[in-house]
Structure formats: C-alpha cells, structure tokens
Amino acid sequence: MSENATFTTTGGIAEGQNNAFSHSMTAQCDPICIWALWTDVATWPAWDTELQAATIVGAFKKGAKGTLIPKSGAKSKFVVTELVEGQHYTFVTFLPLARLEITRQLSTKSGATTFIHRVRFVGPLGKLFAWIFGAHFRKALPVVMQQLAQQAEAIHKGRPT
C-alpha cells in the first residue's frame, strides 16, 4: 500500500461464510474511477490477484459474455446478469451443477466512494465449490479490493497505474 493511500477497509478477511461472503472498502475517489476499472474486463488481472486473464465479447452490458482464466483452476465462462450503469452489476460464472455469483456495488457519501464485492456459491454443488474455494477467496478478496482502491486512487489523482 502506498504511504499516502486514503482508503480504508473493514478487515483482513471477507465477512460471511465460505458459500456467501462480502467485503467493503472506502476510497477517496470519484465512483467513476472504481466503475471504470470494474467494467474494463481485460484489465481485471491488474488488480485481481487471482486472475491470469479475463476477456469479454463486445461492450460491458447486461447479457455480455466473457471468459476468466484463474491463476489456479479451470478456465470458466461468465455472463453479466444485472447492470445498473455506474451503480452495480452482477456476473455469474458457471460451474458443474453450480454457479458463482459476483455482485459489485458502489455508493458515495461526502466525496468518498464505498465499493462492495459480494460472492455466492449456489446450486446443487454450490456447497462443494464453497468448501473447495471459499476460504481462499475470502482471504484474497480484501487484497484484491485494496489493489483496486490503489488503482482507482491513482486514476483519481491523474497518475498512471
């Protein structure tokens, strides 16, 4: 973390259980800085420590489809299932007999931007995937969000990331 970072976090592990958890962070930047990073799929690996590569076909919009290649694990496909521009979106990654739902949400207050990342494993084998991956993802999420906040702060201040 940079010496002059102006963001705060709620802790070192995402809150919740391995099958459904979330983490929030507040940064002193415009929400568009977070939103721009969240919706530029090709650059997700720059702040998401768990990803090797990410692609999307076309624009980031409801119904858009893409591919995720994690640093460990199998390549997977995702689809954007919900989107309210500049506020929140959900994408779903399909697993055998389960799915991983990721929701990202923004809010602002007094010039600060709070961003929340929610994760849920659902479906018949959701609990199995939560047992396999959940604890690791819960530990990684605060670091991922800290990296995102650093990049958003740099964008806000006009520095290259």
Side-chain angles (χ1 to χ4, degrees):
M1 184 181 343
S2 67
E3 286 180 25
N4 59 358
T6 55
F7 47 85
T8 57
T9 180
T10 58
I13 188 166
E15 297 176 14
Q17 303 298 315
N18 289 349
N19 65 325
F21 53 92
S22 67
H23 191 71
S24 65
M25 185 171 281
T26 300
Q28 298 299 317
C29 68
D30 294 327
I32 191 67
C33 298
I34 300 287
W35 190 258
L37 292 167
W38 268 353
T39 58
D40 187 358
V41 175
T43 64
W44 285 359
W47 50 266
D48 188 331
T49 58
E50 300 302 302
L51 286 178
Q52 179 180 324
T55 61
I56 193 166
V57 178
F60 193 95
K61 61 183 181 178
K62 185 175 179 179
K65 296 178 181 179
T67 303
L68 301 172
I69 302 174
K71 289 186 177 173
S72 61
K75 177 177 170 180
S76 61
K77 296 182 185 289
F78 73 89
V79 63
V80 179
T81 58
E82 292 181 36
L83 176 87
V84 174
E85 186 68 33
Q87 295 179 26
H88 66 87
Y89 68 85
T90 299
F91 71 91
V92 175
T93 299
F94 301 97
L95 306 165
L97 295 175
R99 65 187 186 279
L100 175 61
E101 297 176 350
I102 307 291
T103 299
R104 296 173 174 161
Q105 181 178 348
L106 292 171
S107 63
T108 58
K109 185 177 180 181
S110 303
T113 299
T114 299
F115 53 108
I116 302 167
H117 184 119
R118 292 182 178 89
V119 177
R120 283 182 6 145
F121 290 92
V122 296
L125 292 182
K127 288 185 181 184
L128 174 64
F129 284 102
W131 180 75
I132 294 169
F133 299 112
H136 177 76
F137 289 174
R138 284 182 65 209
K139 289 177 187 172
L141 186 55
V143 174
V144 167
M145 291 180 67
Q146 183 178 49
Q147 300 242 113
L148 177 66
Q150 287 175 317
Q151 288 191 20
E153 182 182 62
I155 291 168
H156 181 78
K157 292 181 179 180
R159 298 187 310 244
T161 55

